């Protein structure tokens, strides 16, 4: 069994050919109550991986968050929509009781993804620029108990804020709704594609940069994966 919390808390048990039983962990919350959307999306994608036969690499996920998920038991029902030599797609629904709380469409490709940010094919204007400093050099870290709102993910995730975009941390909201930070697992779990599926929705919401703190629900999320994350 993995020593990392993310792997333990996204794991499930295969019940039949299209159903995985999972247990949602309360620590992946955003406000002391509501479970984080990135975490839930990773649970669903991992369930699809458990059911699909050699689907390849995840390249796209489209998720709708129907209702707040609660910590505790849940099931993921998976339907393979297409299984081809180059592309595989599946729909998956996370249910608690008889109620759907999350539904995702997941697409896989048989080809390998490039590795790391620098290896992504150049498409002018398509990707954000990297910060002018590295995380290790000059990032801003806030003690968990000082983060706006309930600690929640602060116990599991390292948020390292980019200084040039972080005046909001000292009350200056003139930079508008713009937050940039590096994210990593506090227990040192390596980054991979499944982690990226979670991390896309695991930073503070941009309303924080406007001085508006509190739970900002993710209603719909589109994710495109252009490369496998490189270390760091």
């Amino acid at each position: 069994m993995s020593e990392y919390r993310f792997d333990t808390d996204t794991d499930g048990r295969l019940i039949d050919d299209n159903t995985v039983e999972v247990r949602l962990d309360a620590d992946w919350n955003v406000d002391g109550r509501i479970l984080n959307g990135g975490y839930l999306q990773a649970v669903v994608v991992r369930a699809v991986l458990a059911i699909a036969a050699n689907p390849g690499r995840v390249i796209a996920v489209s998720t709708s968050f129907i209702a707040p998920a609660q910590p505790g038991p849940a099931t993921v029902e998976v339907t393979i929509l297409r299984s081809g030599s180059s592309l595989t797609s599946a729909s998956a629904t996370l249910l608690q009781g008889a109620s759907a709380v999350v539904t995702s469409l997941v697409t896989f490709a048989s080809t390998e993804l490039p590795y790391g940010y620098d290896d992504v094919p150049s498409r002018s204007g398509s990707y954000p620029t990297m910060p002018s400093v590295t995380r290790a050099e000059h990032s801003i870290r806030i003690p968990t108990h000082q983060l706006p709102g309930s600690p929640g993910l602060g116990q599991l995730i390292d948020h390292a804020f980019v200084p040039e975009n972080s005046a909001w941390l000292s009350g200056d909201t003139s930079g508008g709704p713009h937050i940039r930070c590096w994210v990593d697992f506090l227990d040192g779990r390596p980054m991979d594609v499944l982690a990226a599926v979670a991390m896309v929705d695991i930073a503070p919401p941009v309303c924080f940069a406007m001085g508006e703190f509190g739970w900002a629900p993710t209603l719909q999320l589109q994710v495109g994966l252009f490369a496998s994350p490189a270390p760091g």
Side-chain angles (χ1 to χ4, degrees):
M1 180 178 293
S2 171
E3 63 186 89
Y4 300 116
R5 282 290 305 272
F6 181 70
D7 296 315
T8 300
D9 297 343
T10 57
D11 197 14
R13 181 175 67 89
L14 198 62
I15 296 177
D16 57 37
D17 290 345
N18 70 332
T19 308
V20 175
E21 182 180 66
V22 298
R23 176 165 288 276
L24 305 178
D25 193 279
D27 287 347
W28 297 89
N29 71 79
V30 295
D31 67 344
R33 303 174 299 112
I34 305 300
L35 296 179
N36 171 258
Y39 164 63
L40 297 174
Q41 184 169 249
V43 169
V44 172
V45 170
R46 187 164 179 187
V48 175
L49 287 166
I51 287 175
N54 301 315
R57 299 284 187 179
V58 179
I59 59 169
V61 187
S62 177
T63 298
S64 294
F65 298 90
I66 302 165
Q70 302 299 321
T75 57
V76 182
E77 293 186 353
V78 177
T79 301
I80 304 299
L81 303 175
R82 168 179 175 169
S83 183
S85 58
S86 58
L87 290 174
T88 296
S89 60
S91 64
T93 301
L94 177 69
L95 300 107
Q96 292 194 298
S99 300
V101 292
V102 175
T103 182
S104 298
L105 177 65
V106 188
T107 303
F108 305 84
S110 59
T111 55
E112 289 292 321
L113 291 173
Y115 185 67
Y117 190 89
D118 293 335
D119 292 334
V120 176
S122 176
R123 297 179 185 178
S124 178
S126 297
Y127 304 106
T129 58
M130 292 295 284
S132 60
V133 296
T134 66
R135 180 178 66 180
E137 287 177 343
H138 300 296
S139 63
I140 301 172
R141 286 177 170 82
I142 307 299
T144 298
H145 68 277
Q146 293 182 16
L147 288 172
S150 178
L153 295 172
Q155 306 287 359
L156 299 168
I157 302 295
D158 175 38
H159 294 92
F161 295 95
V162 178
E164 61 203 73
N165 301 115
S166 298
W168 63 274
L169 287 168
S170 57
D172 180 357
T173 60
S174 62
H178 190 183
I179 287 179
R180 300 178 82 192
C181 63
W182 293 273
V183 287
D184 208 348
F185 294 107
L186 281 172
D187 62 5
R189 183 195 186 277
M191 280 292 158
D192 58 12
V193 170
L194 186 65
V197 167
M199 291 297 186
V200 293
D201 193 45
I202 227 160
V206 292
C207 62
F208 278 26
M210 304 295 289
E212 299 176 5
F213 303 121
W215 177 50
T218 302
L219 301 180
Q220 214 283 336
L221 186 62
Q222 301 274 356
V223 181
L225 291 144
F226 297 94
S228 296

